[in-house]
Amino acid sequence: MLGSSSGGYILLELIIALSMFAIGVLGLAQTLNTSMEVANILNKDQRVRIGLRSFLEEVRRKPLSDMSTNYVDVATGVTYTSSIERVALTTTRGEVLSDLYNLKVVATFVAGSEQQEESVDVYVYKPATR
């Protein structure tokens, strides 16, 4: 009679141990899934920043009339938009720097379920050709 009672406790302990193990494994699986989602978001963010930098350099080299443009990167799903605005700065001698422009580049993309924007502003000196 002592042997059958002991076997029941071992079975109960085994069920409890397996349940605790299953809960632990499920917790680890959820943590791994969350970390993979975060890694994907960070990778996309890095790709957007590299694309933003490349687009900025490309647009900056164009003539002034072609600096305001749009580009859609189909592979990453990012829309790059550039706009240019004249900036008038006055020097300490009272002269106006009229060939200075503010180039703004905006990257619009979807991260997770939200639409996000990253932007860069750069001052560009484009003297008038004579």
Side-chain angles (χ1 to χ4, degrees):
M1 184 146 169
L2 186 61
S4 66
S5 161
S6 174
Y9 284 121
I10 291 176
L11 182 61
L12 181 61
E13 289 174 355
L14 185 62
I15 291 173
I16 292 172
L18 286 175
S19 299
M20 290 173 60
F21 179 74
I23 290 171
V25 168
L26 286 175
L28 286 174
Q30 282 183 326
T31 303
L32 180 64
N33 187 33
T34 303
S35 64
M36 292 299 291
E37 288 175 3
V38 169
N40 286 337
I41 289 171
L42 290 175
N43 273 341
K44 183 159 189 163
D45 192 44
Q46 182 68 17
R47 286 191 307 258
V48 166
R49 288 179 187 210
I50 290 171
L52 193 62
R53 188 180 319 144
S54 298
F55 183 72
L56 174 70
E57 288 301 318
E58 182 181 328
V59 169
R60 196 170 66 106
R61 291 186 184 115
K62 290 184 176 185
L64 190 61
S65 59
D66 296 337
M67 283 185 154
S68 293
T69 185
N70 291 332
Y71 172 71
V72 178
D73 187 356
V74 180
T76 59
V78 181
T79 302
Y80 299 100
T81 306
S82 64
S83 61
I84 191 147
E85 179 180 316
R86 182 180 293 272
V87 176
L89 291 179
T90 306
T91 65
T92 56
R93 292 183 288 192
E95 299 170 345
V96 176
L97 297 175
S98 60
D99 297 331
L100 192 62
Y101 299 91
N102 181 23
L103 174 62
K104 182 174 186 170
V105 177
V106 178
T108 307
F109 60 99
V110 176
S113 60
E114 300 178 1
Q115 184 166 348
Q116 295 185 353
E117 286 187 352
E118 291 281 335
S119 65
V120 175
D121 287 281
V122 176
Y123 289 108
V124 178
Y125 180 70
K126 289 278 187 178
T129 55
R130 294 179 186 168

